[in-house]
Amino acid sequence: MDEAIWLISDGRSGSTWFSRLLASARPCHIEHEPIHPLFTPTLTDEAQLPLPCDPVIENKLVPLFEAIRAGHHRTARFGESDRRADGGLIIRDVFALMVAPRMIELLPWLRPVVILRHPCEVAASKCALSDWVWFSQVEMLARDEVLLAAFPQLPRLIARARSPFQRYVLTWCVAHAFLLSHIAPSRLHVVRYPSPLEAARRNVAQIMGCEAPEAAFHQAYVERSPTDRPPDGRSLLTRLIHPRRAPGETEWQWANAMLHEFALEPWFPVSESTAGLSRAKALAG
């Protein structure tokens, strides 16, 4: 197997959905979240979100990915149904954002594809799930020398990120700013989530090098992800304790302020329906 498509994103960003769109073009093995410490025994004692300075990259992640490429390692994230290898390899992971630049340097056979969803929507989706426990430990970001050198404002922003929503947004911005500034644009294919059907179809054709059959593509496009939990699948008590709601103006302000702090505004221009750039800057302080 010469190359592998590596889908990189934060959680709740459509990576499971898009991996299946890619596999609708031709049958592929989808390796779901090999860096997940709950599903890969060799990573059980490692940090849930590996950082740029973490020796786990060379010591464990590179050998793990080589084993995946050789077919010697398969995670059981969604069971046996995705274990199709004749059409290629897709590796999908939401834990890889800050180790991806080094991994791609060490493993040139990885073809990175990053999926971008607005951090306000990502954080709101995480907050709506009572069992989501990943990526809110922002204090650990300031312990990484590479991140501190790249983002000297980190300690100030960490002190201000008090709620789970704010902490999710901050981690999102740090991870994506680091990724997008350390991988050459010519090597990185960017996909927006959500994507209109025709835009998704074009992205699949560009990445896979072939058009997906109409029926297979449409089925994958409308199918719910196994990681999505619709409201009607939750208990009444859970819905009362953790109601789903759209982000409010204050949450949009915080997210847009963080996009400004990390120079990510070109990816997500502040819309007229949110607070506006001047108020976002003021909120960032």
Side-chain angles (χ1 to χ4, degrees), residues 5 7 18-26 90 203-204 207-208:
I5 297 167
L7 294 185
F18 193 71
S19 70
R20 300 204 166 161
L21 282 184
L22 294 177
S24 73
R26 63 172 184 264
I90 297 170
N203 274 310
V204 169
I207 294 168
M208 300 300 286

Side-chain angles (χ1 to χ4, degrees), residues 98-159:
M98 287 182 275
V99 299
R102 181 62 176 153
M103 293 281 289
I104 291 166
E105 180 184 344
L106 295 171
L107 301 174
W109 49 269
L110 288 170
R111 289 178 53 202
V113 175
V114 62
I115 304 178
L116 293 183
R117 184 184 187 187
H118 197 290
C120 187
E121 296 171 345
V122 170
S125 180
K126 292 176 180 177
C127 288
L129 299 178
S130 60
D131 58 347
W132 183 275
V133 296
W134 314 103
F135 309 159
S136 63
Q137 298 173 347
V138 292
E139 290 80 9
M140 69 179 183
L141 302 175
R143 295 196 288 267
D144 189 275
E145 295 177 2
V146 173
L147 291 180
L148 272 180
F151 310 118
Q153 72 272 41
L154 254 181
R156 170 175 62 88
L157 297 177
I158 288 172

Side-chain angles (χ1 to χ4, degrees), residues 12 15 18 22 39 45 64 71 85 87 117 128 153 156 158 163 168 185 203 220 228 242 253 257 262 285:
R12 312 306 299 161
S15 62
F18 193 71
L22 294 177
F39 293 96
D45 297 326
L64 172 64
R117 184 184 187 187
Q153 72 272 41
R156 170 175 62 88
I158 288 172
S163 70
Y168 287 140
N203 274 310
D228 195 12
H242 300 281
Q253 287 178 353
F262 292 93

Side-chain angles (χ1 to χ4, degrees), residues 38-86:
L38 293 183
F39 293 96
T40 300
T42 59
L43 301 178
T44 299
D45 297 326
E46 301 295 339
Q48 64 173 236
L49 188 63
L51 302 179
C53 276
D54 198 328
V56 74
I57 299 173
E58 284 84 357
N59 295 342
K60 294 186 178 180
L61 299 186
V62 167
L64 172 64
F65 273 52
E66 291 284 16
I68 293 169
R69 186 191 189 199
H72 299 152
H73 175 91
R74 292 290 183 260
T75 53
R77 184 69 174 90
F78 295 130
E80 300 289 333
S81 61
D82 290 323
R83 299 188 176 191
R84 302 169 295 171
D86 54 317

